């Protein structure tokens, strides 16, 4: 575990939620790495809390698929990013993003289109900063505007159900700095297609966006295995 793990406090939340949010963010950003053991006592000491909120947080993280319980050995570990889990999530997200892009072409408002253009600029500036967390946040914001523009509450719910897993994969992708130029190009292409109400180009661009993520993350997984 990283020595800089600290409890992220929020006066509006009970302690158990503060612990949950802290551990979840640490997993999503890779501060707690795939396969890393989650020892209740150790985590409690690092965060300056009792074991109870840590135990509750680990149970919730297991329900989200971010933590795996270890049979027979007891305890838990950060869930691995496997090719199959990656494929399962991105196949679904690919279809949902393609639909979102098509619907946005038909339904996006002038104000939303302006925010989408601004979000593209914000993402490009974030890339120049080199801060992976900020880049990931701006990427999420950009795609949220497209999703919002669909006006389809059920579609929004389905995408949000995958949000935590997608953020984890997105963060892994964004850490590959060689892909940043392509990300910028794809965002620009997606914006232009939606602006022109070109449903076919928007759909294809959204799917390509996910395909490139899958290719990049799979390559990283294979590289990590080769180095072990």
């Amino acid at each position: 575990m990283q020595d800089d793990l600290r409890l992220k406090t929020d006066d509006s939340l009970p302690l158990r939620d503060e612990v949950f949010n802290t551990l979840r963010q640490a997993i999503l950003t890779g501060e707690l790495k795939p396969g890393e053991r989650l020892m209740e006592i150790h985590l409690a000491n690092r965060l300056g809390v009792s074991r109870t909120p840590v135990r509750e947080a680990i149970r919730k993280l297991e329900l989200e698929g971010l933590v795996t319980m270890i049979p027979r050995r007891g305890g838990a570990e950060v869930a691995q990013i496997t090719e199959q889990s990656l494929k399962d999530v991105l196949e679904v997200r690919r279809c949902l993003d393609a639909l979102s892009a098509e619907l946005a072409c038909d339904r996006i408002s002038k104000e939303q289109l302006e925010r989408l253009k601004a979000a593209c600029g914000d993402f490009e500036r974030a890339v120049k900063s080199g801060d992976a967390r900020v880049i990931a946040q701006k990427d999420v914001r950009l795609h949220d505007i497209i999703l919002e523009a669909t006006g389809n509450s059920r579609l929004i719910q389905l995408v949000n159900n995958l949000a935590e897993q997608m953020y984890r994969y997105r963060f892994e992708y964004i850490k590959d700095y060689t892909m940043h130029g392509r990300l910028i190009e794809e965002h620009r292409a997606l914006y232009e297609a939606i602006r022109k109400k070109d449903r076919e180009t928007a759909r294809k661009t959204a799917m390509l966006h996910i395909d490139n993520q899958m290719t990049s993350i799979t390559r990283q997984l294979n590289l990590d295995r080769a180095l072990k």
Side-chain angles (χ1 to χ4, degrees), residues 86-102 155 159 162 166 202-215:
L86 172 69
K87 181 180 178 182
D88 288 348
V89 171
L90 293 190
E91 279 182 344
V92 176
R93 185 60 188 258
R94 186 177 190 266
C95 295
L96 296 178
D97 279 11
L99 177 59
S100 297
E102 287 184 313
L155 176 58
V159 172
L162 292 172
M166 274 301 300
R203 181 181 66 83
K204 289 181 177 179
T205 303
M207 291 192 296
L208 177 63
H209 197 53
I210 295 296
D211 290 342
N212 285 335
Q213 288 189 47
M214 187 177 297
T215 299

Side-chain angles (χ1 to χ4, degrees), residues 41-94:
I41 294 178
H42 191 43
L43 287 170
N45 289 339
R46 292 300 303 160
L47 297 176
V49 300
S50 69
R51 292 177 62 179
T52 299
V54 172
R55 185 180 304 116
E56 293 174 350
I58 288 175
R59 288 172 181 165
K60 289 181 66 176
L61 290 166
E62 181 189 12
L63 294 176
E64 289 196 354
L66 295 176
V67 163
T68 302
M69 302 309 294
I70 308 172
R72 294 183 296 279
R73 293 171 57 191
E77 66 180 23
V78 178
Q80 298 281 357
I81 297 178
T82 66
E83 286 189 43
Q84 187 59 53
S85 65
L86 172 69
K87 181 180 178 182
D88 288 348
V89 171
L90 293 190
E91 279 182 344
V92 176
R93 185 60 188 258
R94 186 177 190 266

Side-chain angles (χ1 to χ4, degrees), residues 32-175:
L32 290 173
K33 301 184 182 304
E36 185 168 343
R37 288 291 301 274
L38 299 176
M39 308 297 292
E40 289 180 10
I41 294 178
H42 191 43
L43 287 170
N45 289 339
R46 292 300 303 160
L47 297 176
V49 300
S50 69
R51 292 177 62 179
T52 299
V54 172
R55 185 180 304 116
E56 293 174 350
I58 288 175
R59 288 172 181 165
K60 289 181 66 176
L61 290 166
E62 181 189 12
L63 294 176
E64 289 196 354
L66 295 176
V67 163
T68 302
M69 302 309 294
I70 308 172
R72 294 183 296 279
R73 293 171 57 191
E77 66 180 23
V78 178
Q80 298 281 357
I81 297 178
T82 66
E83 286 189 43
Q84 187 59 53
S85 65
L86 172 69
K87 181 180 178 182
D88 288 348
V89 171
L90 293 190
E91 279 182 344
V92 176
R93 185 60 188 258
R94 186 177 190 266
C95 295
L96 296 178
D97 279 11
L99 177 59
S100 297
E102 287 184 313
L103 293 178
C105 286
D106 298 334
R107 302 174 182 177
I108 196 166
S109 68
K110 181 178 179 181
E111 183 269 337
Q112 288 169 331
L113 189 62
E114 290 174 351
R115 284 198 283 125
L116 182 58
K117 181 179 181 180
C120 288
D122 289 342
F123 179 82
E124 292 176 27
R125 284 186 288 275
V127 166
K128 292 179 181 178
S129 77
D131 188 326
R133 295 192 186 195
V134 175
I135 297 170
Q137 290 169 359
K138 297 304 180 182
D139 187 58
V140 170
R141 180 56 186 149
L142 186 152
H143 289 282
D144 281 349
I145 294 171
I146 296 173
L147 183 62
E148 173 195 318
T150 70
N152 186 315
S153 60
R154 185 56 57 88
L155 176 58
I156 292 171
Q157 181 183 32
L158 289 171
V159 172
N160 286 339
N161 287 343
L162 292 172
E164 297 300 341
Q165 292 290 343
M166 274 301 300
Y167 188 91
R168 193 182 189 198
Y169 300 142
R170 176 183 276 116
F171 200 84
E172 288 298 315
Y173 182 43
I174 283 171
K175 287 193 297 186

